Amino acid sequence: MGTAISLDLATDLPAASLRELADDTFRWLREVDARFTTYREDSEVRRVDRGDLPLSGASADLRAVLARCADLWGDTDGFFDAYATGRLDPSGYVKGWAAQVASDRLVAAGAVDHCLNAGGDVRVRGHSSSGRPWRIGVRHPWDADATCLVLTGTDLAVATSGVYERGHHVLDPRRGVPARGLRSVTVVGPDLGVADAYATAAVAMGVAGVGWLDRLPGHLHAVVTDDGRLLRSTALPLAD
């Protein structure tokens, strides 16, 4: 997925069981990467995009992801668009979705305390090894060594979309140009794939994304604008 992924398993299980769970998690994420990467011509998503593979012959995971992307297109008034670049690219949903599925599998296997961080898209469950709720730092959009916020909780999906690493790479799908106005958008909700897509959509909206996030039910947010303002939900679970 072009990013670093880390896993912290804090549930008190035998070391061999924890190793097996970690191996299964990274095996799943590598499988997702091979299927959905847009950087390899032989990936399933690229084959579907070229028409070499009909959607009816694609994997159940790819069909489910594209169906969810279609729903998200409607939910965001078209600002989350898997075809914004002119080619099929569901990456704005896939990374969060893959991490959410991995987290759900860990819970089902008994690892109820864990933190999975997929390049800044973070899913936490239960408690850290200290017995306290997890702390999730949101990167400062101008200083890679600093945070602008620290969140805390025992069941959070935290997705951040920003322009501080790859530049203005998120397109405004209505105008076909890089979106501007928001340097960083963090969305907190119950599902990491959806939060990831909503964060991407808000960046694509530009400054209008702040008002859209304010009206978004079931989700909280923190936004840093291009001119350095920090705007956030009052109920955001901030660490002391």
Side-chain angles (χ1 to χ4, degrees):
M1 301 180 197
T3 190
I5 298 178
S6 64
L7 173 64
D8 186 345
L9 294 171
T11 299
D12 186 15
L13 292 172
S17 297
L18 293 174
R19 282 195 296 270
E20 183 178 354
L21 288 171
D23 288 344
D24 286 346
T25 297
F26 286 107
R27 188 179 302 115
W28 157 250
L29 294 170
R30 285 192 293 269
E31 176 186 330
V32 170
D33 186 48
R35 177 169 292 149
F36 287 94
T37 181
T38 59
Y39 299 104
R40 286 175 43 182
E41 292 300 311
D42 62 343
S43 72
E44 191 176 8
V45 76
R46 290 291 292 119
R47 291 164 60 208
V48 168
D49 185 43
R50 290 195 305 268
D52 296 344
L53 176 66
L55 188 56
S56 60
S59 66
D61 280 341
L62 190 142
R63 295 197 307 271
V65 162
L66 295 188
R68 193 69 184 96
C69 285
D71 292 339
L72 289 162
W73 182 87
D75 294 344
T76 62
D77 199 21
F79 279 96
F80 178 83
D81 189 348
Y83 290 91
T85 64
R87 297 170 58 179
L88 176 60
D89 183 2
S91 302
Y93 173 71
V94 165
K95 185 174 67 169
W97 164 78
Q100 178 69 44
V101 171
S103 176
D104 291 343
R105 290 182 175 186
L106 287 169
V107 170
V112 294
D113 305 288
H114 63 262
C115 172
L116 181 59
N117 184 342
D121 289 346
V122 183
R123 190 66 172 98
V124 297
R125 253 61 185 264
H127 296 79
S128 69
S129 56
S130 69
R132 303 183 65 182
W134 295 97
R135 294 167 63 90
I136 305 106
V138 177
R139 188 192 134 162
H140 193 291
W142 279 281
D143 184 352
D145 296 324
T147 58
C148 62
L149 290 171
V150 178
L151 310 177
T152 185
T154 59
D155 188 4
L156 297 176
V158 182
T160 298
S161 181
V163 302
Y164 41 78
E165 287 189 350
R166 296 170 56 195
H168 291 274
H169 67 285
V170 177
L171 294 180
D172 175 342
R174 295 186 175 181
R175 298 183 297 146
V177 298
R180 297 185 180 274
L182 303 183
R183 187 160 179 88
S184 173
V185 173
T186 297
V187 175
V188 180
D191 181 277
L192 191 56
V194 174
D196 196 5
Y198 284 168
T200 301
V203 172
M205 293 176 191
V207 292
V210 178
W212 179 77
L213 289 168
D214 284 337
R215 299 187 298 272
L216 193 61
H219 293 77
L220 303 170
H221 66 272
V223 172
V224 179
T225 64
D226 281 349
D227 59 4
R229 291 175 295 146
L230 173 62
L231 310 170
R232 64 176 179 83
S233 304
T234 56
L236 206 64
L238 300 178
D240 294 333

